[in-house]
Structure formats: C-alpha cells, structure tokens
C-alpha cells in the first residue's frame, strides 16, 4: 500500500468518527452517540474502514473509533486502555501478549493471510524464485523478525533453505510494500493483502519453488488473524449500549459480508 493510500484510509476513518451533524454541519446535541473503540493491525485498515462505515450507516448514533498500528505494539499498550472494546490482532503472538496481560478475552481466528515473494511492477530485476533473494546484486527487503510478517517470512525462507541477502529490514508489511512500490528495493516478502492494496505498483512473483513448498507444507508462511474482546468490553465501565454495539461489530466481521470484504482484500476467511 502506498503512503498516500494508507493516509487516505486513515483520513476516511477519521472522517467517519465525527459526531452526528445537522444540515448546517454542527453536532446535533439531541442525537445520542454510542462510541466503541476498535484496535486493529494495520494490514486490516482497508477492510475494517469499510466495515466500520457500513456499521455506522446501519446503526445511527453509533460510532466506531478505529485505531490502527502494529499488532504487537497495540497489544503491549492494551492493558492501560479502557476505551478499546474490540481487538483484531495480526498473529497469535500479539494476541497472546494481550491475553496474558488480561487485556483481551475470548480470542478466535477469523481470517488468515500469507506472505508472498513480491517485486516492483514490471519486475525489472527479473526475480523468478525465492532463491533469487540470495543474489548479492539485488536490493532485498524483509520485515523485522518480531512482527507477524517477519516471523512468517523467516518460516518460509527456513523451509526453503534460502539464505536471503538482506539489505533492509522494515517495521511491517505495508511499509515494505511502499519501499517496493517506490523502487527503492528489488524484491521482498510481504503479505499478499498488501500486494492487492498496492493497486498494481507491486506484483506477486508466482515462483515455482514457493508453490512446491506450499504443496508440501500448506501452513508455511501463514498468519492467523484473531478477534477478541478488548479491555473496555470486560470491565464494568462500559454501558449496555457499548457492549451491544461491540458484539454487533464483531458479528459483522464474522458475517458473510465481512467474509466478502476479507476475500476482496486478499485474506482467506475462516473456514476457507
């Protein structure tokens, strides 16, 4: 996803959070507003922005405040929050941090994502297989190892017995996809959803060695996405309206509409 695309998604989310307004553009003091906080991994930004807008349109007076970031970072700070009702994490590790801290409860997998070999549009460096990441003349980027993308990439490379000649490690898959889109890197391993979100600026290399590896090890390089109750949905401070709205939003994510949105973004919903 390009930086402008990500900023546009965040801007759209921010706009969706504005209080209900009258025709003159001023907040309507007579309209009761129920707000729920949703913290989600940044790779879910497109899907969750879309679902939040649909949810608000179908539930007048309800607002979804969407907070995006690296799942591990969100999980580490979740214990100090009392305004997050729903937590959507990229990977079991991030969810485990939140659950161990008592900040998330009842986690369940709702989708999966996989990392793929990716290149800038046009594949100017003629990358054809995962083993090409060992070519010293290539500018190769990978995600840092403490995130979901980095762990999935490391598992894929280890299973393929490929030692990548890494020039740059970045914080997450969207950032790495931006580097590829800007042609500052020749190849990398990113989530398939970020290739889809790049709108053609980044391409997946359908490498034979990756296909053969996944035929033998279908779970290699796969990341689970989990949905859980956040701290605000567990404490006594939340009112019935907030709890009902949070449950309804979780139901939307798991619904047929949620599954369709996930498929369009490149995810594999639970059960597929």
């Amino acid at each position: 996803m390009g930086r402008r695309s990500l900023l546009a998604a965040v801007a759209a989310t921010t706009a969706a959070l504005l209080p209900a307004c009258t025709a003159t553009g001023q907040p309507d003091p007579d309209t009761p507003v129920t707000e729920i906080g949703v913290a989600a991994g940044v790779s879910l930004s497109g899907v969750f922005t879309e679902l939040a807008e649909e949810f608000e349109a179908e539930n007048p007076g309800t607002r979804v405040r969407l907070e995006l970031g690296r799942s591990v970072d969100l999980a580490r700070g979740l214990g100090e929050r009392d305004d997050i009702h729903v937590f959507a994490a990229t990977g079991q590790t991030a969810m485990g941090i939140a659950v161990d801290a008592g900040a998330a409860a009842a986690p369940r997998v709702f989708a999966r994502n996989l990392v793929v070999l990716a290149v800038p549009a046009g594949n100017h460096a003629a990358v054809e297989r995962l083993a090409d990441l060992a070519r010293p003349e290539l500018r190769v980027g990978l995600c840092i190892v403490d995130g979901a993308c980095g762990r999935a990439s490391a598992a894929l490379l280890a299973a393929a017995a490929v030692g990548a000649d890494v020039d740059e490690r970045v914080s997450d898959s969207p950032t790495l996809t931006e580097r590829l889109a800007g042609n500052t890197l020749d190849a990398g391993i990113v989530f398939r959803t970020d290739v889809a979100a790049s709108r053609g600026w980044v391409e997946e290399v359908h490498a034979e060695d990756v296909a053969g590896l996944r035929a033998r090890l279908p779970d290699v390089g796969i990341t689970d996405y989990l949905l859980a109750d956040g701290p605000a949905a567990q404490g006594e401070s939340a009112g019935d309206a907030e709890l009902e709205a949070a449950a309804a939003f979780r139901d939307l994510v798991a619904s047929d509409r949620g599954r369709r949105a996930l498929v369009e973004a490149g995810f594999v919903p639970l059960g597929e």
Side-chain angles (χ1 to χ4, degrees):
M1 177 183 297
R3 186 175 301 277
R4 292 183 179 177
S5 297
L6 179 57
L7 291 176
V10 174
T13 303
T14 302
L17 303 182
L18 294 176
C21 297
T22 66
T24 61
Q26 297 300 317
D28 183 355
D30 297 326
T31 302
V33 175
T34 298
E35 182 177 274
I36 59 171
V38 177
V42 68
S43 56
L44 289 163
S45 60
V47 173
F48 270 46
T49 296
E50 176 184 338
L51 293 177
E53 291 173 352
E54 290 186 14
F55 185 78
E56 292 177 348
E58 296 172 1
N59 297 273
T62 302
R63 297 292 178 265
V64 179
R65 181 174 46 77
L66 185 57
E67 184 171 326
L68 304 168
R70 290 184 68 232
S71 289
V72 169
D73 295 337
L74 292 171
R76 287 170 178 160
L78 209 59
E80 302 175 359
R81 305 289 296 271
D82 60 0
D83 58 343
I84 300 297
H85 300 77
V86 179
F87 179 43
T90 306
Q92 297 279 356
T93 298
M95 183 58 74
I97 292 172
V99 170
D100 290 345
R108 53 277 197 195
V109 177
F110 70 96
R112 307 185 87 190
N113 204 349
L114 65 155
V115 290
V116 297
L117 179 61
V119 296
N123 193 8
H124 53 79
V127 176
E128 297 180 351
R129 55 185 185 151
L130 193 65
D132 284 341
L133 296 183
R135 287 164 48 188
E137 75 275 14
L138 288 186
R139 298 170 298 170
V140 174
L142 293 177
C143 298
I144 58 176
V145 294
D146 75 335
C149 168
R151 283 188 292 272
S153 300
L156 185 66
L157 290 167
V162 171
D165 186 2
V166 183
D167 296 281
E168 184 178 0
R169 286 192 178 271
V170 301
S171 60
D172 50 48
S173 178
T175 302
L176 181 52
T177 305
E178 288 180 7
R179 298 280 200 277
L180 292 168
N183 282 293
T184 60
L185 293 170
D186 299 316
I189 299 177
V190 300
F191 280 128
R192 185 176 65 179
T193 52
D194 291 313
V195 174
S198 75
R199 301 183 182 278
W201 288 100
V202 176
E203 300 176 359
E204 176 182 351
V205 177
H206 297 282
E208 290 186 4
D209 54 353
V210 175
L213 180 62
R214 286 199 160 122
R216 293 185 290 107
L217 302 169
D219 288 337
V220 69
I222 299 291
T223 297
D224 289 336
Y225 281 67
L226 301 96
L227 199 64
D229 298 335
Q234 303 175 61
E236 299 178 355
S237 59
D240 291 342
E242 291 179 28
L243 296 178
E244 291 174 3
F249 183 80
R250 292 193 300 271
D251 289 344
L252 176 60
V253 173
S255 70
D256 288 342
R257 279 189 297 160
R259 288 167 60 87
R260 285 195 296 270
L262 289 163
V263 169
E264 290 174 1
F267 291 93
V268 180
L270 184 64
E272 293 194 355

